[in-house]
Amino acid sequence: MSIAGQILQLRNSLPQEVSLLAISKYQPIEALQEAYDAGQRMFGENHIQEMAAKAAVLPKDIEWHFTGHVQTNKIKYMASFVSLIHAVDSFRLLREIDKHAAKHNRTIDCLLQIHIAQEETKYGLTVEECRQLLATEPWRELKHIRIAGLMAMGSNTDDMAQVRSEFRRMRQLFDELKVAYFADEPSFAQLSEGMTDDYLIAIEEGSTIVRIGSMIFGERQY
Ligand SMILES: *Cc1c(COP(=O)(O)O)cnc(C)c1O
């Protein structure tokens, strides 16, 4: 199916409260333009300079989400326009983003990335580290970032029961943190989880942003 066809079909099938983030990393400008022409406005990229280069030439009403690992020395290239940073996994990073956002007089929304999958990876906070960060670090003093929710990647496995239980734990953590720290903050509202292979399960388990790449654009052109 065409990119436009996939966008329209996905949009018609998603519940109203779930946002579709089109993951366009490694895709050429023309592919993003086709999705845009089909009405897509939220795009996610994994490399800051690639995102900045695309943002410079594509329409200005696109909402750019950064879904990759954040390198501190590159935050400056996205601080003026990024609308949501999905994979923040330390207080140090929150502080760096805050510093750059302040220079642009902006508040940047961030999600805390939780390491919930079985794979070994160096990215993401464990559930315990996340609780620890919120309990002990002075994040409320950072006036130019806003913690808008949580992000996770499910295990890369065919065992969908495993993936479901991971997403379920994410929802429980989200609800726990909401009550403990964000009860008065409606902006803490996003649970970013679910990709091409597991987005339907993610939605059933409470995802509010699904991040879909290959289903929309086909194979990535590395
Ligand atoms: C690439 C990527 C996706 C999209 O994956 P698909 O399987 O192509 O849908 C989603 N989230 C993150 C963080 C990614 O890096």
Side-chain angles (χ1 to χ4, degrees):
M1 200 189 296
S2 68
I3 291 171
Q6 288 290 5
I7 293 281
L8 296 176
Q9 192 175 71
L10 266 167
R11 194 183 310 131
N12 286 331
S13 72
L14 295 181
Q16 216 176 0
E17 64 279 8
V18 177
S19 305
L20 173 60
L21 180 61
I23 301 294
S24 49
K25 61 189 182 204
Y26 298 110
Q27 299 295 343
I29 296 288
E30 304 78 60
L32 282 77
Q33 183 69 51
E34 184 179 344
Y36 180 90
D37 292 339
Q40 182 64 25
R41 292 295 180 272
M42 283 170 56
F43 290 86
E45 291 278 339
N46 277 26
H47 299 99
I48 294 178
Q49 273 148 314
E50 181 180 348
M51 178 169 76
K54 286 171 171 172
V57 298
L58 282 160
K60 295 300 168 208
D61 61 341
I62 288 178
E63 216 184 86
W64 292 98
H65 290 222
F66 188 69
T67 53
H69 170 63
V70 184
Q71 288 175 274
T72 312
N73 60 340
K74 293 186 178 161
I75 296 171
K76 57 179 177 282
Y77 299 117
M78 66 174 168
S80 67
F81 69 93
V82 68
S83 64
L84 181 62
I85 300 178
H86 285 237
V88 179
D89 61 2
S90 67
F91 178 71
R92 186 185 60 86
L93 208 45
L94 282 174
R95 208 172 41 203
E96 282 300 314
I97 296 167
D98 180 76
K99 194 175 83 188
H100 286 280
K103 288 183 190 160
H104 293 276
N105 256 319
R106 305 184 61 216
T107 301
I108 297 179
D109 282 343
C110 297
L111 304 180
L112 296 176
Q113 179 180 9
I114 309 300
H115 175 61
I116 201 108
Q118 284 175 318
E119 284 99 65
E120 283 294 316
T121 147
K122 49 189 192 297
Y123 303 130
L125 298 155
T126 64
V127 169
E128 210 30 65
E129 286 167 343
C130 178
R131 289 188 181 119
Q132 195 70 19
L133 186 161
L134 291 170
T136 63
E137 299 285 4
W139 53 275
R140 286 195 199 272
E141 291 169 16
L142 305 176
K143 298 304 178 198
H144 295 272
I145 57 105
R146 208 161 57 164
I147 298 176
L150 305 178
M151 178 270 202
M153 317 251 291
S155 284
N156 183 11
T157 170
D158 292 334
D159 181 356
M160 286 301 148
Q162 168 69 27
V163 174
R164 185 181 294 281
S165 81
E166 291 164 0
F167 290 155
R168 193 159 293 177
R169 278 170 57 211
M170 283 296 293
R171 183 77 218 185
Q172 286 162 353
L173 178 64
F174 178 92
D175 292 341
E176 170 197 320
L177 300 178
K178 176 85 186 163
V179 169
Y181 297 102
F182 302 98
D184 299 326
E185 293 174 44
S187 52
F188 185 86
Q190 304 300 340
L191 195 47
S192 165
E193 58 188 18
M195 322 201 304
T196 293
D197 289 335
D198 56 18
Y199 77 96
L200 291 171
I201 294 173
I203 290 169
E204 286 171 7
E205 298 301 333
S207 170
T208 66
I209 304 177
V210 289
R211 309 182 307 263
I212 301 189
S214 41
M215 181 176 172
I216 296 172
F217 297 107
E219 294 285 297
R220 283 181 273 278
Q221 303 165 18
Y222 292 105

